[in-house]
Amino acid sequence: MRLLALYLRSRLADRALGLLLLCGVVDMFWMQHFPPDEIWRTLALAVLPLLPAVVISAGARSPFGDIERGASRPVGPIRLGHLLALALIAALMLLGASVIVNGGIERELVRNLAGYLGLSLLAAWLIGTGVAWVIPLAYATLAFILPPARSLAWPARYPLDARSLAIAAGLLALGLLAVTLRGTRDRPEERV
Amino acid sequence: MTASRLLWIEFRRNAGIWFVLPILAVAWYLLDSTWVWTPFLWSDTNELLQKSLILFAGPALAGLAAWMAGRDRHRGVDDLLQTTPLPETRRCVVLLSATALWAILAYVIFAAYMLGRTARLATWGRPSLWPILIVLAALVAYGAWGFLAGSLFRSRFTAPLAAIVAFGVEAGFENSSSVTSFNSGGSVQTVQTSNWLNALTPDSLSPFPHWQFLLYVGLTATALAALALIYRRDVWRIGALLLAIGLTAGSVVMLWGNSRHYNPATNVVTNNFGQVIHVSAPVQPEPVCAGTPVTVCTNPAWKPVLAKAVTQANELVQPLLGLRGVPLRAERDDVGFSGGRNSGAYLNLSRYADQLVADDASMSKGYVHNEAQLAVRRWLLDRAGITARPSCADVAANPGDIPDIPGWPTAASCAASDRFAQLSPEMQHDWLAAHYADLRAGKLTLADLP
């Protein structure tokens, strides 16, 4: 229990949780104030899941580096549990916001959260959490502009289809696997 | 140490270098696969130079600047740097400038490619300076606000949130629209139009680009003045902040006030200041003409595709050559332009085909509606290899979906066209020689076709 508490403190889990709650408020505001036409739906699918996804991946940063690898207990399961718990909270926020205002895009928001989180985690594993957000941001920009018919634009697909769901789930699985097994590529000497 | 030397050091040791390729890659992908860029048109280049890059580069620079703002703290040297004689504000401005320069470098590379290619291919028009200046000013503004966010909230979450919020705000303003209701023929109609908030985004050009430019200058000045206030509070800095906010607010008011609304009920254009705007028709440039026996005249900007259009027009008119009353000149409204990437652009001659089979008096609202004319028109277009939409293939594939609109083929006219195409060239010529005048006058029916 002490290990878990220390781990969560080292990942600034309390601040991440606060920001996820703030994202939920933004989701509610967005869905209540903007018309549910095609453009705004595409924009909501691009932006709303991206916010919690980058918060969760930024929170995955380890301040200890190699020291953590030498711990007596493996941290992989704790990493996975931490990421899944935050992802679950973010998914509930998105679901709640869409259901409360009858947005009708709850399943698509959760799909995009999974895909963007997977991309963010893969980027955190490859280039570090500091600038990991640039990959999902670039992807969201393309998905926002590209015609939804193209497979590359899976985040813009509405309604939910098996292909886009499989891509998002695959990205999430890869991202979780990479960060759980290898951690993020960060410099422990940097205080962030 | 001089400011330029410090800037050079910061430029070399900056994370911005890793953003140049992603910015170029996203901009290039959007330009190449989503927006149709016709490289020989200055109008296309001016527009896409503005909107291809900023949508990603702006938010990315905001996030990067927020990240760079916390660099000294990340490395644990912020206390050490406090002891140096250089003022902290100046150090921040140099770091921000070096970071923004990398994004500006990406833009310069992208702009040089687009402008260079258009300068080589274009036959008419010129580059517009405003879109370039607006994108540059907007990039700096994104960077300044990202840097301010990174300086105010020194957290690992600031950079990603700054980038995503910037993306959401930009995309949101770009896609904002207004719904206007008006009374038309006793029923209330609604139209959705872009509204003045579009002018706040750097990827759409306002009719008043100088206000748009000043808006980004004002936003940058506001962020810098607020940044200066973080480190020292004095009356000069507060005054600078108020002045910058005033410049920003003034620009927003001018953009709002000058945005135009068209009222379809009264056919009047007004702006938000209540002034009636008189919209004059654009001046048409002297057309360029080429070809014989058919001469095609078109806007000089479309000259690169004129030769192909001349070939098609002569192919189109070939079975009618020698007949009396055949129009041998395709110009202005008869020649439309269809944009396309690289060799995909072409001049659309389907309106010229209308003129070949129908005189003005036999048309309905400017379109061919006589079925005999439609049949011969389609035959002419098919043998010249010109595709006109909706085609007879569309009619056959979706018989219920093609509305009965003048100019659109019918199943019966398509069948008659197929029959006519199967005749020998001599029989086609003989029939046309005997009936061409009546065909153009709209006096024939499908039963008169062989």
Side-chain angles (χ1 to χ4, degrees):
Chain A
M1 203 60 198
R2 186 174 157 79
L3 177 64
L4 182 65
L6 288 172
Y7 179 89
L8 293 179
R9 253 172 75 184
S10 74
R11 263 58 177 185
L12 302 183
D14 52 342
R15 286 189 217 173
L17 191 62
L19 285 169
L20 289 183
L21 294 175
L22 193 63
C23 289
V25 175
V26 171
D27 298 345
M28 287 281 292
F29 177 82
W30 183 297
M31 292 203 191
Q32 271 183 332
H33 288 84
F34 296 121
D37 60 19
E38 194 181 338
I39 290 173
W40 284 101
R41 190 179 64 221
T42 310
L43 191 54
L45 290 176
V47 176
L48 297 185
L50 200 53
L51 283 167
V54 296
V55 167
I56 295 170
S57 75
R61 182 178 196 284
S62 164
F64 304 119
D66 286 339
I67 300 170
E68 200 170 75
R69 292 184 188 166
S72 58
R73 290 191 201 176
V75 288
I78 305 179
R79 279 182 189 148
L80 184 63
H82 163 241
L83 292 173
L84 282 178
L86 288 181
L88 186 67
I89 292 165
L92 288 174
M93 291 289 162
L94 288 168
L95 270 173
S98 181
V99 168
I100 289 170
V101 300
N102 209 9
I105 53 171
E106 48 275 2
R107 292 184 307 165
E108 292 75 18
L109 286 171
V110 174
R111 172 199 63 195
N112 289 4
L113 171 69
Y116 287 143
L117 179 57
L119 273 176
S120 300
L121 292 174
L122 279 172
W125 168 60
L126 281 169
I127 56 177
T129 53
V131 286
W133 46 269
V134 78
I135 305 291
L137 174 67
Y139 204 92
T141 308
L142 293 179
F144 178 60
I145 299 292
L146 289 176
R150 296 172 69 163
S151 292
L152 202 62
W154 57 264
R157 302 276 286 183
Y158 177 86
L160 187 78
D161 60 347
R163 194 185 179 92
S164 63
L165 188 63
I167 294 171
L171 285 170
L172 180 64
L174 283 174
L176 285 173
L177 193 71
V179 172
T180 301
L181 295 180
R182 307 291 301 167
T184 57
R185 188 175 174 177
D186 290 306
R187 287 195 241 177
E189 68 270 20
E190 286 190 346
R191 293 180 292 149
V192 185
Chain B
M1 187 179 287
T2 60
S4 59
R5 176 118 187 268
L6 190 60
L7 181 66
W8 175 238
I9 292 171
E10 290 286 16
F11 183 69
R12 279 187 301 151
R13 304 182 65 80
N14 196 292
I17 189 171
W18 303 109
F19 278 63
V20 174
L21 274 181
I23 287 172
L24 286 174
V26 171
W28 172 253
Y29 190 82
L30 290 177
L31 181 72
D32 190 53
S33 73
T34 307
W35 287 308
V36 179
W37 178 41
T38 309
F40 60 79
L41 293 182
W42 278 114
S43 55
D44 256 26
T45 300
N46 291 336
E47 184 190 345
L48 294 176
L49 201 52
Q50 189 174 3
K51 64 194 279 191
S52 292
L53 188 124
I54 194 74
L55 189 60
F56 172 65
L61 179 59
L64 173 67
W67 173 251
M68 291 305 292
R71 186 195 58 180
D72 295 340
R73 197 181 70 90
H74 302 161
R75 303 278 162 87
V77 293
D78 47 349
D79 287 342
L80 184 69
L81 289 169
Q82 295 280 354
T83 63
T84 58
L86 197 67
E88 193 140 16
T89 311
R90 197 188 297 178
R91 222 173 37 240
C92 287
V93 170
V94 170
L95 178 57
L96 167 63
S97 306
T99 309
L101 271 176
W102 280 109
I104 289 171
L105 179 70
Y107 184 64
V108 167
I109 293 170
F110 191 69
Y113 166 72
M114 287 185 76
L115 291 171
R117 194 153 173 219
T118 304
R120 201 164 53 84
L121 298 173
T123 50
W124 186 78
R126 59 192 164 84
S128 174
L129 195 60
W130 278 118
I132 298 169
L133 288 178
I134 284 170
V135 172
L136 288 175
L139 277 175
V140 177
Y142 272 114
W145 277 86
F147 201 92
L148 178 65
S151 302
L152 285 173
F153 309 103
R154 301 191 172 200
S155 159
R156 67 174 72 170
F157 300 108
T158 306
L161 288 177
I164 309 305
V165 168
F167 173 63
V169 169
E170 179 181 317
F173 277 170
E174 187 195 342
N175 290 290
S176 58
S177 56
S178 303
V179 174
T180 307
S181 299
F182 63 96
N183 197 312
S184 172
S187 64
V188 176
Q189 306 279 326
T190 58
V191 289
Q192 198 158 21
T193 54
S194 60
N195 68 18
W196 72 277
L197 289 171
N198 292 150
L200 301 184
T201 62
D203 47 6
S204 57
L205 189 65
S206 152
F208 302 93
H210 49 286
W211 291 119
Q212 218 176 346
F213 178 74
L214 276 179
L215 169 67
Y216 300 121
V217 172
L219 283 170
T220 304
T222 305
L224 290 178
L227 193 65
L229 270 177
I230 292 176
Y231 299 109
R232 205 173 83 201
R233 287 178 193 173
D234 58 34
V235 69
W236 294 107
R237 291 177 190 221
I238 293 171
L241 179 65
L242 292 176
L243 203 65
I245 291 173
L247 178 63
T248 308
S251 307
V252 171
V253 168
M254 291 310 289
L255 285 169
W256 168 80
N258 282 304
S259 73
R260 296 168 177 184
H261 302 276
Y262 171 62
N263 187 337
T266 57
N267 203 24
V268 168
V269 178
T270 53
N271 66 15
N272 278 331
F273 290 138
Q275 296 162 329
V276 175
I277 309 294
H278 300 284
V279 182
S280 53
V283 179
Q284 293 287 339
E286 191 64 30
V288 288
C289 299
T292 183
V294 180
T295 302
V296 180
C297 295
T298 187
N299 187 305
W302 303 336
K303 196 177 173 186
V305 285
L306 181 59
K308 188 176 161 189
V310 168
T311 307
Q312 281 189 327
N314 279 291
E315 188 65 29
L316 194 65
V317 89
Q318 198 270 334
L320 307 175
L321 282 178
L323 303 180
R324 279 187 63 189
V326 179
L328 292 176
R329 200 172 169 85
E331 57 188 344
R332 292 202 182 273
D333 296 342
D334 300 337
V335 186
F337 177 75
S338 292
R341 275 191 299 277
N342 301 323
S343 58
Y346 64 94
L347 290 177
N348 189 331
L349 292 167
S350 59
R351 297 286 294 159
Y352 176 56
D354 289 351
Q355 292 290 333
L356 289 177
V357 296
D359 57 25
D360 290 341
S362 70
M363 291 196 201
S364 166
K365 295 176 185 171
Y367 291 94
V368 176
H369 70 116
N370 176 292
E371 286 198 301
Q373 292 172 338
L374 283 171
V376 176
R377 175 184 180 274
R378 186 245 168 162
W379 168 69
L380 287 172
L381 287 167
D382 278 358
R383 65 175 300 285
I386 300 171
T387 307
R389 293 277 174 175
S391 65
C392 285
D394 295 329
V395 174
N398 307 291
D401 294 336
I402 306 293
D404 185 19
I405 294 175
W408 290 30
T410 61
S413 70
C414 288
S417 175
D418 288 339
R419 284 200 310 276
F420 195 80
Q422 285 165 4
L423 299 176
S424 67
E426 292 77 21
M427 289 174 74
Q428 289 166 343
H429 185 266
D430 290 347
W431 186 88
L432 286 167
H435 298 95
Y436 185 65
D438 288 341
L439 178 77
R440 285 200 80 220
K443 292 177 182 173
L444 302 184
T445 65
L446 282 182
D448 297 315
L449 259 73

